[in-house]
Amino acid sequence: MDSAFARVVAVACLGLTGCTAATASVSGKDALVVGVKADQPGLGLLEKGTYRGFEVDVGTHIARRMGAKRVTFRTVTSADRERLLNDHSVDLVLASYSITPDRAKAVTFGGPYYVAHQDIMVRRGEEGIQNVRDLAGRRLCQASGSVSTERVVIGLGIRPRLVPSPSYSECVRKLLGGDVDAVSTGDLVLAGFAARYRDRVKIVNAPFTDERYGVGLRSGDVDGCEKVNRALTVMYQDGTAARLLRKWFGASELSLTTSVPEFEGCS
């Protein structure tokens, strides 16, 4: 089903009793477009025209298990993931996409494919930030579209000095340049940057939340969601997940989890 026809079907379903979102499911499509980040080493990075990273490999695995003969990738950001999914620009999103109740109102989530933990990255030599409480009064980078700073400010009531930034790659540039004191988000995101700049930054290793990274699908695509979960189950059971985690994060200091995560329900 091409994207123009899918949009027509989706609109038509709004006015028809018994017409379900499964009509426009990504399940069974010959070609799938997977949205990934282009600036997160280890997860999704675009270099010399090729996307590389853990989420790129997991997206390819899922798409193949769903029957796609052709898999292509498109860059998404934290700010435009929902829009690109729901206007049919991408079919699946794997982009450090933490599952939250608010986001689940806009999209359907498969997975999670990994449960990361929010942590903090600082410059090497920084000894004043040992845990999340130490962020009070310090300059914390706030990446556009991310919920990570909300978990610090709203969830824990800590008051850092927020420094807005369009992306986590820009946050890391600001950290390296001394414009912020810390970057806080899921540890898999931090691990990729920490590996790239290992002589200049470090992860505090004081996790304080769970980050359930989900596969975003268009809202109501239950059939697609169920097939995503089956593909993820196989990925963990046959050792593919462990191999990919070691491939992309084995050099980091993280303790990687290689057991099947507890999935969200598809609804």
Side-chain angles (χ1 to χ4, degrees):
M1 182 184 297
D2 64 32
S3 60
F5 181 65
R7 283 193 290 271
V8 172
V9 170
V11 172
C13 280
L14 293 176
L16 293 177
T17 301
C19 185
T20 68
T23 306
S25 176
V26 299
S27 176
K29 290 182 65 174
D30 286 338
L32 288 175
V33 181
V34 181
V36 295
K37 295 287 185 71
D39 60 352
Q40 291 186 343
L43 284 173
L45 186 66
L46 179 60
E47 290 185 311
K48 298 180 180 179
T50 301
Y51 290 93
R52 302 177 66 250
F54 176 68
E55 291 177 327
V56 177
D57 288 349
V58 173
T60 301
H61 171 86
I62 291 171
R64 297 298 188 198
R65 294 289 305 183
M66 292 177 73
K69 296 180 177 63
R70 184 164 62 93
V71 185
T72 57
F73 295 91
R74 175 169 175 167
T75 300
V76 300
T77 68
S78 295
D80 66 13
R81 290 174 293 203
E82 287 88 359
R83 178 180 62 80
L84 293 176
L85 262 177
N86 288 316
D87 72 8
H88 293 255
S89 297
V90 297
D91 298 303
L92 304 171
V93 168
L94 290 92
S96 55
Y97 204 0
S98 297
I99 300 170
T100 69
D102 284 343
R103 288 173 174 169
K105 295 174 184 176
V107 302
T108 290
F109 279 108
Y113 54 89
Y114 194 78
V115 180
H117 306 284
Q118 186 165 342
D119 213 314
I120 303 162
M121 188 165 69
V122 298
R123 286 183 294 277
R124 286 203 176 273
E126 170 66 70
E127 300 299 333
I129 299 175
Q130 300 289 334
N131 58 60
V132 67
R133 297 289 170 189
D134 293 333
L135 292 175
R138 304 299 296 270
R139 297 170 300 169
L140 176 65
C141 197
Q142 181 181 33
S144 176
S146 173
V147 298
S148 295
T149 49
E150 292 180 15
R151 292 194 170 106
V152 174
V153 175
I154 298 175
L156 297 175
I158 298 167
R159 295 292 182 266
R161 294 158 54 195
L162 298 180
V163 180
S165 188
S167 66
Y168 278 111
S169 59
E170 183 60 29
C171 280
V172 173
R173 281 192 284 271
K174 288 180 177 179
L175 181 65
L176 294 171
D179 298 315
V180 299
D181 300 311
V183 179
S184 181
T185 190
D187 54 14
L188 279 191
V189 176
L190 298 179
F193 287 112
R196 174 160 285 206
Y197 303 109
R198 66 183 65 187
D199 296 329
R200 302 176 65 187
V201 300
K202 64 179 180 179
I203 298 175
V204 172
N205 281 316
F208 55 94
T209 69
D210 288 341
E211 298 282 330
R212 297 170 299 151
Y213 289 161
V215 180
L217 300 98
R218 280 182 280 281
S219 183
D221 189 357
V222 175
D223 186 53
C225 174
E226 290 174 346
K227 286 185 169 57
V228 164
N229 287 351
R230 285 197 286 273
L232 291 174
T233 299
V234 172
M235 184 182 79
Y236 274 90
Q237 290 178 340
D238 70 5
T240 298
R243 176 177 58 79
L244 293 178
L245 286 164
R246 287 193 298 269
K247 171 184 174 182
W248 294 107
F249 305 107
S252 76
E253 298 174 354
L254 290 180
S255 177
L256 298 167
T257 302
T258 58
S259 56
V260 184
E262 183 178 349
F263 294 149
E264 300 289 312
C266 294
S267 60

